[in-house]
Amino acid sequence: MTTAVVKQEIAVASLSKVYDLERVETALNELGEGANEALRTTYEKMLKVGNLRFCVKPNRMPAIDALIDALPNFADPLEDVRRQVALCVETEDRLELMPILLLGDPGIGKTHFAKALARLLGTTHQYVAMSSLTAGWILSGASSQWKNAKPGKVFETLVNGSYANPVMVVDEIDKAGGDAQYDPLGALYALLEYETAQTFIDEFAEVPINAGQVIWIATANDERSIPAPILSRMSIYEIAPPDRDGARRIAQTIYDEVRTAHTWGRRFPERLGDDALEALSRASPRDMRRAILHAFGEARIDGRDAVRAGDIRPERGARRRPIGF
């Protein structure tokens, strides 16, 4: 079996305006003496860095087959990505991807897929973990009248980043917390619609920003707790756990990613042995990375430059050490 290596494609880039400089300058000039200093600094930075960001897309059909080989249980969303890329490649049209919702059990590789897709398309990604949120302003920002207020993730990504079309990963969208006053998903009603996203207003900055080219990927374990209007704005894919052969391919992909990301990885061969692959195939994709990192260390402690099945330890979950006196 050959190794499926998924590399970042060479992308063509145009420049896209993500906000209006005159609107920002006007907002800055209208600030009073007692205005929020963080807001003043934000406006000044927006003027300094300018309003143009790269909008990238592959300059040819990317290696989607290689990514399907590496992540076989994500074939359905990747085939739809292939269709959308085919429509715009070798033209000046932008890449239009409908927001994606990936449904499946924890640890089957949904977040890994989102990162791989960003790399495939030649852009960057931003990660938002909805399970840890307790307020609605994480995406849309909080009013500058509040103490310690700041912009939301979408605004920060577009203003501080280099791309107008980053991949925004909204992880565990079904576990969004909050209270009746602050809905963590409230901003998505506008952000997931292209027309309204083009003039999205962050509550902190209060200046329209063009988020219409952001690529949205949400993950969830159960769609029943996601509001119907959010679901209606997304392409929904149910992701099954990989079979034995698929799990072995995913394990090899993760092994290769870890090995090539570190200088010490050069000591190790490109291919995992069959026995090690078999041992890893029984783990979830989430647990594979931890198991592989552990196995690399075990091999070096033993003076070896190859991972064996005995270096693979099954994931038992984190355990708290009891505190005694």
Side-chain angles (χ1 to χ4, degrees):
M1 182 177 67
T2 58
T3 303
V5 178
V6 182
K7 298 180 179 179
Q8 180 164 338
E9 291 289 327
I10 298 175
V12 292
S14 58
L15 290 174
S16 181
K17 185 183 298 185
V18 294
Y19 51 85
D20 189 296
L21 290 174
E22 291 185 2
R23 295 284 294 269
V24 177
E25 189 169 10
T26 299
L28 175 61
N29 292 334
E30 290 178 350
L31 289 179
E33 291 185 2
N36 186 309
E37 283 304 311
L39 179 59
R40 188 185 306 276
T41 300
T42 297
Y43 289 153
E44 290 172 347
K45 179 177 181 178
M46 293 173 74
L47 293 173
K48 180 179 180 180
V49 301
N51 61 353
L52 298 179
R53 301 294 182 271
F54 293 116
C55 186
V56 298
K57 66 178 182 180
N59 67 347
R60 59 179 182 269
M61 184 59 70
I64 291 179
D65 287 336
L67 188 52
I68 291 176
D69 188 61
L71 300 171
N73 49 333
F74 290 88
D76 286 346
L78 285 170
E79 289 295 351
D80 279 350
V81 170
R82 189 202 304 271
R83 296 183 185 99
Q84 296 307 311
V85 172
L87 290 174
C88 70
V89 73
E90 298 179 352
T91 74
E92 296 182 358
D93 296 322
R94 71 181 185 91
L95 174 63
E96 296 185 43
L97 287 180
M98 188 171 180
I100 293 172
L101 174 60
L102 304 173
L103 293 174
D105 295 335
I108 61 173
K110 300 187 294 292
T111 305
H112 180 68
F113 161 81
K115 295 177 181 178
L117 181 61
R119 186 164 60 248
L120 185 81
L121 298 177
T123 186
T124 188
H125 74 274
Q126 180 63 256
Y127 177 85
V128 182
M130 299 301 288
S131 61
S132 64
L133 305 182
T134 56
W137 44 261
I138 192 69
L139 288 173
S140 62
S143 172
S144 61
Q145 298 178 12
W146 292 91
K147 184 179 180 180
N148 298 323
K150 62 181 181 179
K153 286 285 188 180
V154 178
F155 181 93
E156 287 186 339
T157 300
L158 293 174
V159 171
N160 298 330
S162 301
Y163 297 92
N165 61 339
V167 172
M168 292 290 296
V169 183
V170 184
D171 195 36
E172 296 188 316
I173 192 175
D174 53 329
K175 295 182 176 60
D179 54 37
Q181 186 177 2
Y182 299 108
D183 178 9
L185 302 181
L188 289 178
Y189 292 94
L191 287 167
L192 297 182
E193 292 279 8
Y194 176 69
E195 295 298 329
T196 52
Q198 292 181 87
T199 54
F200 176 71
I201 297 180
D202 183 273
E203 291 187 28
F204 178 82
E206 297 183 331
V207 174
I209 192 165
N210 184 359
Q213 298 177 91
V214 172
I215 300 169
W216 291 95
I217 298 180
T219 75
N221 305 139
D222 188 346
E223 66 180 307
R224 289 174 293 182
S225 60
I226 304 173
I230 298 293
L231 292 175
S232 69
R233 288 163 165 80
M234 312 189 85
S235 295
I236 303 173
Y237 303 91
E238 293 192 16
I239 308 300
D243 58 19
R244 173 179 172 273
D245 180 62
R248 287 166 63 97
R249 281 185 277 163
I250 292 171
Q252 175 60 49
T253 298
I254 296 175
Y255 168 86
D256 187 63
E257 289 179 355
V258 174
R259 187 185 68 84
T260 56
H262 299 87
T263 303
W264 49 255
R266 299 170 186 168
R267 297 174 177 267
F268 293 84
E270 293 184 1
R271 293 287 307 165
L272 265 173
D274 190 70
D275 58 341
L277 282 174
E278 188 62 28
L280 283 166
S281 70
R282 295 187 285 271
S284 70
R286 174 181 293 172
D287 295 335
M288 284 179 185
R289 186 172 298 274
R290 287 191 289 263
I292 289 171
L293 275 168
H294 177 271
F296 276 125
E298 284 288 328
R300 287 306 305 150
I301 288 174
D302 198 36
R304 289 180 282 107
D305 294 334
V307 170
R308 297 175 181 172
D311 301 322
I312 310 295
R313 289 188 179 179
E315 182 65 33
R316 298 183 178 90
R319 295 182 179 180
R320 292 184 178 270
R321 187 185 301 274
I323 301 175
F325 298 93

